[in-house]
Amino acid sequence: MSKKYDTPLLDELEKGAFPSFVKEIKLAAKHSDMANDLLGHTELCFKERVTHWKHGGIVGVRGYGGGVIGRYSDIPDKFPGVAHFHTVRVNSPSGFYYSAAALRDFCDLWDKYGSGLTNVHGSTGDLVFLGTKTEFLEPFFAEVSSRGWDLGGSGSAMRTPSGCLGMSRCEWANIDAMAITNDITHHYQDEMHRPAFPYKFKFKVAGCPVDCIASIARADMSVIGTWKGDIRINQDEVAKYAKTMDIKAEIIDMCPTGCMQFDGKAMKIDNSNCNRCMHCIAKMTKALRPGTEKGATLLLGSKAPIVTGALMSWVIVPFIKMEPPYDEFYDLIDKIWEWWDENGKNRERIGELIERLSFPRFLKEVGLDPHPAMIKEPRRDPFFFWSEEDIER
Amino acid sequence: MEKEELKKIIYELVEASTGKKKLKQTDILKKVSADQGVEKDEVKAALRELVDANTLIFTYFGGSFIEIPPK
Ligand code: HEM
Ligand code: HEM
Ligand code: SF4
Ligand code: SF4
């Protein structure tokens, strides 16, 4: 397909060291009318400093309330290729493992039914297929579901859970992040495909506090693997590190709780004060290993800055065993959702609701006990309070 | 209560609020279960059949709602 539009403003976004979506759209435009018109349309939006996209509406596949995100151009006569430009989310597999054949197959399907443009992966974790027309939604869905794939979440629903690759490649995984991600996905199919929440709800599962999936910042429910007991120390390996590394500057002085000691020969850790940040273990991989009793810390409430500013998840359960069938975990989630459903306003995330109604009330009403680990931000006091019943008169 | 009867009640509720207030799935579950004295899960099952049959659909306008499909 030949070049249809001059795009001086978009061309600016091809300059510099970073990957450019403009470059990718131009590549797709060589064989896709939709991608070609997307260039012209986007250039015009930039030129006029106003969006010509309309959001939302009534698109989807039969029976599902999510997985498809509707977008329309408000100037379809000028840019017929993007009159419809819907996005389809396909549920990613745990750990994001694909065969090359599956990815090629997806690309071929999307050349056939869409613009050819994808976003793998979106920040949601899904395989994101950008740009198709309403009439292609059902045929595309039929093709992907016949291959065993399903749509992901969108709208006021549980979003596609995601997690780090955990035990499949990483020795630090304290929990089976892939298995848990997969189990949550299957356990809550209804909550994902039939939106019934006040707003979105995201799960992200990290095998350890390094948190490669950034669950603490991007998931309403962060499941982060951790351990109980002492960090295992191999003093011979510590001695070897001492030859190549300034252990005092790089480890001891950087331990956030100041619970480590090194006298030039042996390393000591006051494990009762360790907050399991992983810093020392991640730096001295051969010398230090996590303790042997494995489980997870559950944290709740993070979201990106939209209404009141960014929130990080905070601890609601310091330690829980995460083993199938995960009954204790699911019971807690169900209680949290019920509370959110009872009290939440439309478009109010769980973290915002807790901020509005208070953390003590949340704990009480979902039946969790206060614990000193439940701090709102690092190095801030816990914020639970005495209630009438606690006071002996 | 018969499922068909419940489906009729749900449909009429959505129909009556069309053009006035968009209903979320949870609004429907709460209202119908309170009015009819049935479990929310029962209402949910009936609603699901309506959606699977395309009699009602999910829509998205800054939140997910249940509506009657456009003619
Ligand atoms: C200057 C132009 C644009 C800017 C600055 C921009 C910015 C962003 C940002 C910051 C995000 C969140 C990304 C993340 O957290 O990983 C996002 C997500 C997204 N953008 Fe854009 N965007 C632009 C143009 C576009 C265009 C042209 C399209 C479609 C062709 C698009 C489709 C999307 C979609 C579908 C998502 C959600 C992806 C997901 O979370 O799965 N954006 N955008
Ligand atoms: C200046 C241009 C744009 C900016 C700054 C922008 C920004 C964003 C941001 C910040 C998000 C939230 C991402 C997340 O939380 O994961 C988002 C989501 C999204 N964007 Fe854009 N966007 C732009 C253009 C577009 C265009 C042109 C399209 C399609 C025609 C598009 C489609 C979407 C979709 C489908 C989502 C996901 C909505 C959902 O999570 O339910 N965006 N965008
Ligand atoms: S979060 Fe921890 S377990 Fe998961 S990949 Fe990263 S380092 Fe490994
Ligand atoms: S894990 Fe973090 S807090 Fe614990 S001893 Fe190592 S550096 Fe200190």
Side-chain angles (χ1 to χ4, degrees), chain A residues 105-173:
Chain A
D105 188 32
F106 269 135
C107 292
D108 289 344
L109 283 176
W110 202 239
D111 281 338
K112 185 169 169 195
Y113 294 107
S115 70
L117 291 166
T118 61
N119 174 8
V120 178
H121 296 89
S123 54
T124 54
D126 298 283
L127 286 144
V128 177
F129 294 82
L130 296 161
T132 189
K133 296 181 179 18
T134 306
E135 62 265 32
F136 290 145
L137 291 171
E138 290 286 356
F140 177 70
F141 177 57
E143 297 255 23
V144 296
S145 54
S146 73
R147 289 158 171 80
W149 301 88
D150 201 351
L151 298 189
S154 71
S156 310
M158 181 183 85
R159 301 304 183 83
T160 305
S162 64
C164 77
L165 45 66
M167 289 177 174
S168 69
R169 285 175 69 85
C170 186
E171 63 179 288
W172 289 328

Side-chain angles (χ1 to χ4, degrees), chain A residues 63-129:
Chain A
Y64 281 48
V68 178
I69 298 133
R71 291 290 183 275
Y72 300 88
S73 169
D74 68 6
I75 37 173
D77 296 340
K78 242 177 155 153
F79 301 101
V82 295
H84 300 183
F85 204 76
H86 311 319
T87 293
V88 183
R89 289 184 173 159
V90 172
N91 195 324
S92 44
S94 299
F96 305 111
Y97 285 102
Y98 303 91
S99 65
L103 291 175
R104 286 206 185 89
D105 188 32
F106 269 135
C107 292
D108 289 344
L109 283 176
W110 202 239
D111 281 338
K112 185 169 169 195
Y113 294 107
S115 70
L117 291 166
T118 61
N119 174 8
V120 178
H121 296 89
S123 54
T124 54
D126 298 283
L127 286 144
V128 177
F129 294 82

Side-chain angles (χ1 to χ4, degrees), chain A residues 231 255-257 259-260 269 274-280:
Chain A
I231 292 176
C255 167
T257 62
C259 71
M260 305 182 78
I269 299 175
C274 163
N275 67 8
R276 291 165 297 277
C277 75
M278 285 294 289
H279 171 72
C280 60

Side-chain angles (χ1 to χ4, degrees), chain A residues 318-353:
Chain A
F319 191 87
I320 183 174
K321 287 267 173 212
M322 285 298 283
E323 280 153 16
Y326 314 106
D327 287 338
E328 197 189 338
F329 173 71
Y330 289 130
D331 283 349
L332 177 63
I333 301 298
D334 291 342
K335 271 191 216 141
I336 292 172
W337 282 350
E338 216 170 285
W339 186 76
W340 185 33
D341 187 38
E342 248 351 279
N343 299 291
K345 298 189 216 167
N346 191 23
R347 293 176 75 78
E348 188 172 44
R349 296 281 282 271
I350 185 80
E352 294 169 310
L353 173 62

Side-chain angles (χ1 to χ4, degrees), chain A residues 48 99 111-112 119 176 227 246 263 276 282 366:
Chain A
E48 297 183 349
S99 65
D111 281 338
K112 185 169 169 195
N119 174 8
D176 192 342
W227 67 90
D246 182 346
D263 59 9
R276 291 165 297 277
V366 302

Side-chain angles (χ1 to χ4, degrees), chain A residues 56-58 62-65 155-156 190-191 194-198 341-342 346-347, chain B residues 24-26 30 40 44 48 51-54 57-65:
Chain A
I58 309 169
R62 191 165 175 153
Y64 281 48
S156 310
D190 228 32
E191 284 73 8
R194 296 175 186 82
F197 296 155
D341 187 38
E342 248 351 279
N346 191 23
R347 293 176 75 78
Chain B
K24 298 181 70 89
Q25 183 175 162
T26 169
K30 276 182 198 166
K40 276 189 192 170
K44 201 170 174 182
R48 182 168 174 167
V51 172
D52 285 346
N54 240 19
I57 55 169
F58 283 103
T59 59
Y60 184 86
F61 292 94
S64 301
F65 299 94

Side-chain angles (χ1 to χ4, degrees), chain A residues 257-328:
Chain A
T257 62
C259 71
M260 305 182 78
Q261 281 178 306
F262 182 60
D263 59 9
K265 288 189 204 79
M267 178 173 277
K268 267 196 223 148
I269 299 175
D270 169 9
N271 283 279
S272 66
N273 276 312
C274 163
N275 67 8
R276 291 165 297 277
C277 75
M278 285 294 289
H279 171 72
C280 60
I281 296 172
K283 286 291 238 188
M284 302 177 73
T285 50
K286 291 185 178 171
L288 303 176
R289 299 175 68 72
T292 49
E293 193 184 343
K294 316 282 195 184
T297 299
L298 303 183
L299 303 93
L300 191 71
S302 72
K303 71 178 222 18
I306 299 173
V307 185
T308 59
L311 294 174
M312 299 279 262
S313 288
W314 62 85
V315 173
I316 59 163
V317 177
F319 191 87
I320 183 174
K321 287 267 173 212
M322 285 298 283
E323 280 153 16
Y326 314 106
D327 287 338
E328 197 189 338

